[in-house]
Amino acid sequence: MSTYNGHCLCGAVSFTARDITPEAGACHCKMCQRWAGSALLAVTALEDQIEWSGSEHVATIQSSDWAERAWCSRCGSGLWYRITAEGPHKGEYDIPIGLFDDASGLTLTREIFIDRKPDAFAFAGAHERLTEAEVFARYGVTTTGA
């Protein structure tokens, strides 16, 4: 388990994430592509593992029936994807690794929505790769269009 500090581009919003497993994931769903400009590369943190400062600069949008996305209202940096729907994952944050002051030591362990990935790139290495249907089946999501 590791502690990570980070902040948005302008520094108005910052965080400390404690006791985080140093595993990163990549999401290739169309919403993440539009929000992040490509795949969202992120680390998961539970609500009680992360402390935010600068909340007056955080803007959010309920981007699906089950999650919200947040960004810095000053510089536009994406801050988190957070599960809002009831269930075992409620409150989980996915924090973009580009916000971390030091992201060394992270390992890519999973790609999701792999069947939505653009042909322009591929991540190397052995790790779990899930299709859209596999993601929805695993997490109990019945709404499509991610």
Side-chain angles (χ1 to χ4, degrees):
M1 300 286 190
S2 299
T3 297
Y4 295 97
N5 295 301
H7 56 83
C8 64
L9 180 64
C10 71
V13 180
S14 61
F15 69 89
T16 298
R18 292 179 178 80
D19 301 323
I20 304 299
T21 302
E23 297 177 351
C27 181
H28 300 287
C29 80
K30 199 59 175 173
M31 281 194 273
C32 281
Q33 289 179 32
R34 292 179 198 272
W35 187 58
S38 184
L40 173 62
L41 299 171
V43 170
T44 300
L46 303 177
E47 281 184 299
D48 63 352
Q49 292 175 299
I50 192 159
E51 185 177 314
W52 294 93
S53 61
S55 60
E56 67 273 18
H57 300 291
V58 174
T60 62
I61 186 171
Q62 189 73 32
S63 58
S64 67
D65 292 341
W66 60 87
E68 72 176 8
R69 294 170 194 267
W71 64 94
C72 173
S73 62
R74 286 187 56 198
C75 68
S77 294
L79 299 172
W80 71 72
Y81 167 91
R82 186 173 69 91
I83 304 295
T84 57
E86 292 299 325
H89 299 283
K90 183 175 182 170
E92 285 183 4
Y93 287 86
D94 286 323
I95 312 300
I97 62 174
L99 298 178
F100 294 3
D101 293 339
D102 181 3
S104 60
L106 296 177
T107 302
L108 182 66
T109 60
R110 177 184 303 158
E111 287 182 78
I112 61 174
F113 293 89
I114 193 69
D115 50 336
R116 300 294 183 139
K117 182 188 75 60
D119 294 334
F121 62 88
F123 295 123
H127 53 268
E128 185 176 31
R129 291 175 170 88
L130 301 173
T131 65
E132 177 179 39
E134 291 168 330
V135 170
F136 287 165
R138 179 176 288 183
Y139 296 105
V141 176
T142 57
T143 305
T144 59

